[in-house]
Amino acid sequence: MARKVGIYTRISRDDEGEAMGVARQQADCDRLADLRSWQAVKVYEDNDVSAFKRNVVRDEFELMLNDLRAGLIDGIVAYDLDRLARQPRDLERLIEIFDERPRLEFATVTNDVNLGTPDGRTMARIMVAFANKSSHDASRRIRRKHRELAQQGKDSGGPAPYGWRKDDRSKVDPEAERAIRAAQREILAGVRIGTIRTRWQEEGLGNPREGTKRMAHHQVEHILTNPRLVGYRTYHGEILYGDDGQPVMGEWDPINTVEEWEAVCASVAERKQKHPGESLARKYLLSGIARCGHCKTKIRGQLNRKWTPGSKASKYSYQCSVVNGGCGKVGRVGEPVDKHIVRLMPEEKRERAAGSDAPEDQRWPREQELEDVNTDIRQLVEAEKAKQISVSTLLQLLPAKERAARRVEAGTPSLLQGAEAEGGEGPHRGPDGRGVLRSSHRAPTGDHPSQPFGGDHPPGRKGKADLRS
């Protein structure tokens, strides 16, 4: 019976969007599979996707790894090893699967590397290391080229910024110019950027991202304060200065005079300094860290502006925002997610953060019992990671341990009541007469996959995909 294999194709750039490069790779891989008497059952195509950039998720590559691990395919055919991996960590993930399933097949059109043997893996690691270095060298040369173009005042290419014609980035778009200048006058008159954003959205101004329902606040602010408006050339968001100490001027028509632009920038900056020394940005534990389990976009924290003290509603939530390029399908209530993440902090870090020096006789009496249960849970998880037990066995054993931990937690007395019961004097009083909490009840740790948010009832959700950090 013919072995079932998957064909993986990838190309980093496809500016025309015609997928001609991956089509050629697929044709060559099909011929190789026929020569080996293998049956190609699925094609995994990552067109116009980089394998070198660390922040890029290759959806088809991830699907291929999952299918390999699940036994849906018996091997891989690729045009070249560097189509599969340009980062050593991606190659190691692939090799790990070949360790788990030694009879997997592997072949490339351009060379003969066998990931099933130690010699083949060594050669593959060397080849990927050289491919990685080649990408690093190319990236360095490209960055140097773009900096040189910026220092000469030349444009960097790409889509035209709002305010300039799409067919000629050096010429001003009259309609966009009028909209920008009118909005700048409103800024100087005290109108909020949010008001301008809403009006622009209704009128179709500002080049909003395709598929978005509303423009981002920072996008409108950037349009109205962009140094390009006065002809200044920037590099990585910073204004470039020449050897004479003057800003480098770009090769395009300006929209503002320097005085007009500086007045608008000063007005926007003044609004941000109503609370000097304090950032106006909301800070959330997982903002920019957690990613949407559906589209892999970074999750952002969002304040619930309708929340009031004493309300049962959530004060904030984590959302996959369409404005930030996400799918908008995933959301989580913020507080329980943060509490769960804090519980997963390493114990020594949590103790350091608590900084408690309470006497031993004032500690929670069932703390050791809870720690023993959590130790059992950690040992089960480590046993599964070490392949000593299967995932199914882990999921069968964990619920009983988790229920035991919850029973211990549910029997936890109020700390202040516990102090009264043990000492009979109630809580310690500080100089101002207020109670001072002296006990150190540490939250239990956990590191198990059976319940993403812990407990029987996961936090509120708005979508079917998981929130994954």
Side-chain angles (χ1 to χ4, degrees):
M1 182 177 178
R3 302 277 281 170
K4 296 180 297 183
V5 298
I7 292 176
Y8 181 79
T9 61
R10 183 190 66 81
I11 194 167
S12 298
R13 291 191 61 178
D14 183 14
D15 296 333
E16 291 77 20
E18 298 178 353
M20 298 294 290
V22 289
R24 289 190 296 270
Q25 293 178 29
Q26 181 181 342
D28 291 342
C29 291
D30 278 328
R31 284 193 290 270
L32 178 58
D34 289 340
L35 288 174
R36 300 287 182 97
S37 299
W38 296 337
Q39 179 187 1
V41 294
K42 184 172 177 59
V43 177
Y44 304 89
E45 179 185 300
D46 279 321
N47 188 44
D48 199 23
V49 179
S50 170
F52 172 69
K53 297 178 181 178
R54 292 179 176 270
N55 61 339
V56 173
V57 176
R58 292 184 284 161
D59 293 332
E60 289 297 301
F61 178 77
E62 298 297 332
L63 177 61
M64 180 193 69
L65 294 183
N66 290 336
D67 288 350
L68 268 176
R69 187 175 284 109
L72 299 180
I73 55 176
D74 300 320
I76 306 170
V77 178
Y79 183 78
D80 191 273
L81 187 60
D82 67 1
R83 298 302 88 198
L84 276 168
R86 277 185 174 267
Q87 288 289 352
R89 62 178 180 176
D90 289 335
L91 176 63
E92 294 304 324
R93 294 170 63 198
L94 187 59
I95 290 176
E96 182 180 346
I97 298 176
F98 273 75
D99 271 336
E100 297 171 359
R101 302 185 60 201
R103 296 186 66 250
L104 287 177
E105 307 288 356
F106 182 81
T108 62
V109 174
T110 56
N111 46 54
D112 188 13
V113 177
N114 185 2
L115 292 183
T117 66
D119 289 344
R121 295 175 184 182
T122 300
M123 182 58 67
R125 290 181 174 113
I126 294 172
M127 294 171 66
V128 169
F130 273 97
N132 183 267
K133 182 181 185 305
S134 174
S135 295
H136 269 292
D137 292 342
S139 177
R140 184 183 65 251
R141 291 192 297 268
I142 291 172
R143 287 198 304 270
R144 183 64 186 90
K145 173 188 175 183
H146 281 296
R147 182 170 182 83
E148 181 182 21
L149 292 175
Q151 290 171 334
Q152 295 173 357
K154 296 181 179 180
D155 218 336
S156 57
Y162 186 66
W164 284 265
R165 290 166 47 181
K166 295 181 179 180
D167 59 342
D168 187 350
R169 291 170 53 100
S170 65
K171 302 298 182 184
V172 172
D173 180 350
E175 181 181 354
E177 179 186 14
R178 287 193 294 272
I180 289 174
R181 296 183 69 87
Q184 288 176 329
R185 288 193 293 270
E186 290 178 310
I187 291 292
L188 296 176
V191 177
R192 297 172 58 249
I193 292 180
T195 304
I196 297 171
R197 178 190 66 183
T198 302
R199 177 168 55 80
W200 276 18
Q201 188 73 39
E202 293 172 349
E203 297 176 1
L205 302 174
N207 285 351
R209 292 179 180 176
E210 184 178 354
T212 57
K213 296 181 180 179
R214 63 186 182 92
M215 294 179 65
H217 184 282
H218 65 83
Q219 182 182 357
V220 178
E221 179 181 324
H222 176 71
I223 290 175
L224 300 179
T225 59
N226 191 353
R228 182 185 172 93
L229 293 169
V230 291
Y232 290 165
R233 184 64 167 91
T234 60
Y235 183 72
H236 288 180
E238 299 291 335
I239 298 175
L240 280 177
Y241 291 87
D243 296 335
D244 57 358
Q246 298 300 314
V248 175
M249 303 302 294
E251 298 177 347
W252 56 80
D253 297 336
I255 290 178
N256 290 136
T257 64
V258 175
E259 292 76 13
E260 291 171 341
W261 175 74
E262 288 180 342
V264 174
C265 292
S267 178
V268 172
E270 183 180 0
R271 299 181 187 190
K272 295 183 178 181
Q273 293 302 317
K274 289 182 179 179
H275 304 282
E278 298 181 10
S279 171
L280 297 183
R282 290 285 305 171
K283 296 291 190 290
Y284 302 97
L285 184 64
L286 298 179
S287 286
I289 300 175
R291 290 183 178 271
C292 172
H294 186 74
C295 67
K296 308 301 187 296
T297 302
K298 288 184 177 180
I299 294 287
R300 303 292 179 185
Q302 294 186 4
L303 177 67
N304 180 6
R305 299 190 182 279
K306 296 182 180 180
W307 179 86
T308 56
S311 170
K312 294 183 179 180
S314 172
K315 188 175 182 180
Y316 63 95
S317 62
Y318 291 108
Q319 302 287 339
C320 178
S321 174
V322 175
V323 173
N324 293 317
C327 63
K329 298 179 180 179
V330 176
R332 294 289 184 276
V333 177
E335 291 91 337
V337 173
D338 284 359
K339 289 179 181 178
H340 178 68
I341 296 300
V342 170
R343 286 183 61 196
L344 297 180
M345 289 173 60
E347 184 176 358
E348 63 273 13
K349 290 186 178 180
R350 192 171 61 253
E351 289 178 346
R352 223 171 19 243
S356 172
D357 57 352
E360 186 65 27
D361 58 354
Q362 293 187 13
R363 294 183 182 274
W364 182 45
R366 302 188 67 183
E367 185 171 3
Q368 185 58 48
E369 181 182 354
L370 182 60
E371 179 59 31
D372 291 341
V373 176
N374 283 313
T375 299
D376 292 342
I377 292 175
R378 286 194 294 270
Q379 289 175 349
L380 285 173
V381 174
E382 291 301 325
E384 188 277 329
K385 290 181 179 178
K387 307 302 179 185
Q388 297 172 357
I389 61 174
S390 65
V391 175
S392 60
T393 302
L394 173 68
L395 297 181
Q396 290 173 3
L397 298 176
L398 272 181
K401 293 295 182 181
E402 291 170 339
R403 286 194 295 270
R406 287 196 296 273
R407 281 196 298 269
V408 175
E409 291 179 287
T412 303
S414 166
L415 291 178
L416 293 180
Q417 292 174 356
E420 293 175 354
E422 292 176 12
E425 297 178 1
H428 175 72
R429 298 287 172 180
D432 57 355
R434 297 181 180 179
V436 178
L437 185 64
R438 296 174 62 180
S439 297
S440 62
H441 171 213
R442 294 194 299 270
T445 59
D447 186 21
H448 43 84
S450 62
Q451 295 175 348
F453 296 97
D456 291 327
H457 304 284
R461 58 185 66 193
K462 177 192 151 189
K464 298 181 179 179
D466 288 334
L467 175 66
R468 300 172 184 169
S469 58

